[in-house]
Amino acid sequence: QVQLVESGGGLVQTGGSLRLSCAASGSTFTFNVINVMGWYRQAPGKERELVADIRSGSIRNYADFVKGRFTISRDNGWKTVSLQMNSLKPEDTAVYYCRARTSSRDYWGQGTQVTVSS
């Protein structure tokens, strides 16, 4: 009973910045059960991979290839999760997906395209 909608994707130049946002909707009970939210990405012909996630206590986890460049954050009610992306590289080009996890199941957004031109 959680719906996720991503926004903020687009076309940027190498070295530029972009901020992705994921809006979650559903029952307040379900929001209280969410314990992890994160961002994944998938490029054509490649596996979907974790970019970053954030969990209870604001504990953050980043993939090695984005450490020092990306920052994940959320609000206290798990209604939004954002990904600030700086120093973007062409290899960051992919569809970025928002994910939320509860004690019972995972929820995924439809994805937003990020393209970094060289």
Side-chain angles (χ1 to χ4, degrees):
Q1 296 182 1
V2 176
Q3 296 80 46
L4 305 174
V5 180
E6 302 98 334
S7 62
L11 175 65
V12 297
Q13 295 180 328
T14 298
S17 298
L18 204 61
R19 184 177 179 86
L20 305 183
S21 181
C22 175
S25 61
S27 68
T28 55
F29 176 81
T30 302
F31 285 117
N32 290 334
V33 175
I34 294 175
N35 52 53
V36 181
M37 294 190 73
W39 289 93
Y40 290 71
R41 71 186 188 187
Q42 186 169 22
K46 297 183 178 180
E47 297 180 356
R48 185 173 297 186
E49 59 186 356
L50 172 70
V51 177
D53 63 26
I54 185 167
R55 58 202 67 188
S56 299
S58 296
I59 298 173
R60 295 169 171 83
N61 180 50
Y62 295 97
D64 289 340
F65 54 81
V66 303
K67 287 183 177 178
R69 299 190 297 125
F70 293 5
T71 302
I72 189 170
S73 61
R74 66 168 178 86
D75 69 344
N76 292 333
W78 299 97
K79 291 182 174 62
T80 60
V81 60
S82 299
L83 184 69
Q84 178 65 46
M85 305 185 293
N86 299 324
S87 302
L88 285 163
K89 306 173 182 178
E91 50 263 45
D92 294 320
T93 297
V95 177
Y96 285 70
Y97 297 90
C98 178
R99 178 213 181 205
R101 184 172 70 86
T102 68
S103 60
S104 60
R105 62 161 290 178
D106 295 338
Y107 299 88
W108 292 89
Q110 292 183 318
T112 184
Q113 177 70 48
V114 172
T115 303
V116 184
S117 62
S118 59

